[in-house]
Amino acid sequence: MNKPGRRSFAFEFKLEVVRRYVGGEATAIELAREHGLSSPKLVENWARAYRREGEDALRPKPKGRPPGVADSPGPGELERLRAENLRLSAENAYLKKLRALREQGRG
């Protein structure tokens, strides 16, 4: 759901506006008025991104976190967890044995 007053623009629309701006056909102010954009700064930002990264900069970006990034621990984290699990298992076995020896001494 978009915020009130916030519009999204199609890739083709952005590309047409930027090409006209970069080609010198119109100023950012003229293009913003012609297309009903909120600010000429929007055209300038699109043009800056276009010059820096090409057409792909104007394509819509996927929203949210990339899938699978934070869902599983990394290789270093997995090794650390395995080592901790091994240490805790040994500690648990030691305590069980100690408890059994104490019980033997009393009985």
Side-chain angles (χ1 to χ4, degrees):
M1 183 174 194
N2 289 344
K3 295 179 184 177
R6 193 159 166 101
R7 294 169 38 196
S8 61
F9 301 95
F11 165 72
E12 293 80 13
F13 172 77
K14 290 181 188 179
L15 189 58
E16 176 200 340
V17 171
V18 167
R19 284 187 175 159
R20 288 182 59 199
Y21 177 69
V22 171
E25 288 181 41
T27 66
I29 294 172
E30 293 168 348
L31 288 167
R33 283 188 188 140
E34 179 183 332
H35 295 289
L37 301 176
S38 59
S39 166
K41 203 72 170 149
L42 192 57
V43 176
E44 293 169 4
N45 290 341
W46 291 346
R48 187 177 313 112
Y50 175 78
R51 287 182 183 123
R52 197 175 37 229
E53 301 173 38
E55 290 183 5
D56 287 339
L58 302 177
R59 293 189 189 281
K61 308 292 186 286
K63 302 280 186 215
R65 181 182 299 168
V69 171
D71 295 340
S72 62
E77 179 73 3
L78 191 57
E79 288 304 313
R80 186 191 67 77
L81 291 172
R82 283 186 177 146
E84 182 180 4
N85 191 21
L86 186 62
R87 182 187 62 79
L88 291 172
S89 295
E91 186 177 322
N92 194 26
Y94 171 79
L95 292 172
K96 281 182 182 178
K97 185 70 170 179
L98 185 63
R99 184 176 295 135
L101 288 172
R102 284 188 179 161
E103 290 295 320
Q104 242 181 6
R106 289 185 195 170

